[in-house]
Amino acid sequence: MISLANMKNLKPGDFPPEIKGLRMTRQRREVLAVILRDRDHPTANDVFLRAQKRMPTISLATIYNCLEALVTHNIVRQVNLERESSRYCPNLSDHCHFQDEKSGKIHDVVFKKGVKLEDILELPKGTEVSHLEISLKGIFGK
Amino acid sequence: MISLANMKNLKPGDFPPEIKGLRMTRQRREVLAVILRDRDHPTANDVFLRAQKRMPTISLATIYNCLEALVTHNIVRQVNLERESSRYCPNLSDHCHFQDEKSGKIHDVVFKKGVKLEDILELPKGTEVSHLEISLKGIFGK
DNA sequence: ATTACGAATTAGAATAATTCCAAATTTCGG
DNA sequence: CCGAAATTTGGAATTATTCTAATTCGTAAT
């Protein structure tokens, strides 16, 4: 599992073993470190501003490139809420997203144990789900 | 219930009674008629192209204005799939959307009878859901 | 019916997020 | 260490959507 701890002393070439076919660059390492550090579902621009602190020459285009690479390699998940800009999330376990209308904060929400999609939805025989996104908005309790 | 049939001879001022506080204009009537006619989840631009056939002077800005009015009055539902442009759906009953990767077509999918959100998700006490969107992608069976 | 006023329409400009481009740089296997 | 292939970069381009300000329209009250 990739964690902030593993990231700290990562050098080029040190990509965690589960990541195949993805070159390690300083920029990708930094983008991933930013996303693992504060797990607050930052936008590409948020990531850009944070990455710039430690790497002042990084460009926004690179942020987008890195994020795309991390997303297509299933290291990071892209989260789309309504028409807002995409956000990025290092939590790879099954979960959905709840945006609190008061604070704007996004919370990860997990499924109850044993819940299966086919128990919930009327899907025709032979349907294959490759992608599922559930997003909620409202007042988040607690 | 609003239907295409009701729409046909609608004159200004003839807005269906369940719609309060929304002025009836030729443009809104046409936009609504387009959405009710082919229930294929058109984008704003799709609606524009179709509305233009019967109303050649209508502008895209008006399409957006009308759609916004219809959406905020709960006459039409706005559907967001990934980063694509918004689509519009006249089906107001609880349902979610499945985009078939082969055809690109979007299918309405309903919940199994008796399924409640709180049975599915771990939501903290006091959570109030004001908006829920579930979207799926894959191969749609049948 | 006519009026008046707030609301809606329009074309075009503006914005925001994201993608594209082409040149310079970097990574990494051999 | 070398070289091919991938990546980074700044800036331009694109796309969906929103904004603006002038004109027109819908409707409630006369």
Side-chain angles (χ1 to χ4, degrees):
Chain A
M1 179 49 183
I2 308 166
S3 73
L4 232 197
N6 309 346
M7 293 298 305
K8 282 192 171 162
N9 304 310
L10 230 46
K11 298 176 291 301
D14 281 352
F15 238 125
E18 64 268 41
I19 306 169
K20 291 290 184 204
L22 184 58
R23 263 187 201 186
M24 176 48 101
T25 63
R26 288 187 309 128
Q27 291 83 349
R28 284 179 181 168
R29 197 167 351 114
E30 179 57 28
V31 166
L32 179 51
V34 163
I35 289 174
L36 289 168
R37 185 177 305 121
D38 310 322
R39 299 167 162 250
D40 61 349
H41 303 89
T43 64
N45 198 57
D46 293 336
V47 174
F48 178 48
L49 296 174
R50 293 174 198 179
Q52 265 188 327
K53 298 220 176 101
R54 304 223 281 125
M55 196 180 275
T57 61
I58 199 170
S59 82
L60 183 54
T62 299
I63 301 292
Y64 276 102
N65 290 340
C66 292
L67 289 171
E68 188 192 6
L70 295 171
V71 167
T72 60
H73 285 76
N74 292 307
I75 299 162
V76 160
R77 180 165 151 194
Q78 183 171 17
V79 177
N80 298 118
L81 300 175
E82 314 249 286
R83 304 258 80 223
E84 297 179 10
S85 26
S86 287
R87 296 169 176 279
Y88 297 87
C89 172
N91 179 356
L92 298 177
S93 66
D94 265 359
H95 69 286
C96 51
H97 294 99
F98 193 114
Q99 183 163 39
D100 188 276
E101 282 169 335
K102 286 250 178 69
S103 67
K105 282 210 184 75
I106 291 157
H107 302 267
D108 288 359
V109 172
V110 298
F111 300 97
K112 292 216 170 181
K113 240 193 172 159
V115 172
K116 285 256 176 291
L117 246 204
E118 50 269 33
D119 300 336
I120 302 171
L121 300 176
E122 293 285 4
L123 292 169
K125 267 254 144 86
T127 295
E128 294 286 335
V129 176
S130 65
H131 185 84
L132 166 66
E133 188 153 45
I134 302 184
S135 52
L136 304 117
K137 239 174 41 176
I139 310 296
F140 196 66
K142 260 250 207 63
Chain B
M1 180 48 184
I2 307 165
S3 73
L4 233 199
N6 308 346
M7 294 298 305
K8 283 193 169 157
N9 303 310
L10 231 45
K11 297 176 293 303
D14 281 351
F15 238 122
E18 65 270 41
I19 305 172
K20 291 290 185 205
L22 184 60
R23 266 192 199 179
M24 178 47 105
T25 63
R26 289 187 307 129
Q27 290 84 346
R28 285 178 181 168
R29 197 164 354 111
E30 179 58 26
V31 166
L32 181 50
V34 164
I35 289 175
L36 290 168
R37 184 178 306 120
D38 310 324
R39 298 166 162 251
D40 62 349
H41 304 88
T43 64
N45 198 58
D46 295 334
V47 174
F48 178 48
L49 296 174
R50 294 174 197 177
Q52 265 187 327
K53 298 220 176 101
R54 302 225 280 124
M55 196 180 277
T57 62
I58 199 168
S59 81
L60 182 55
T62 299
I63 302 292
Y64 276 102
N65 290 338
C66 292
L67 289 171
E68 188 193 4
L70 295 170
V71 167
T72 60
H73 285 77
N74 293 306
I75 298 161
V76 160
R77 181 165 151 194
Q78 184 171 16
V79 177
N80 298 118
L81 301 176
E82 315 249 289
R83 305 257 78 226
E84 296 178 10
S85 25
S86 287
R87 296 170 175 279
Y88 297 87
C89 171
N91 178 355
L92 298 177
S93 66
D94 266 357
H95 69 284
C96 50
H97 294 99
F98 193 115
Q99 184 164 38
D100 188 276
E101 283 169 334
K102 287 252 179 66
S103 66
K105 282 209 185 74
I106 291 158
H107 301 267
D108 287 359
V109 172
V110 299
F111 299 97
K112 291 215 167 180
K113 237 191 176 164
V115 171
K116 285 257 176 289
L117 246 205
E118 51 268 34
D119 300 336
I120 302 171
L121 300 177
E122 292 285 6
L123 292 169
K125 266 255 141 84
T127 295
E128 295 285 335
V129 176
S130 66
H131 185 84
L132 167 66
E133 188 152 47
I134 301 185
S135 52
L136 304 118
K137 240 175 39 178
I139 309 298
F140 196 67
K142 261 252 208 53

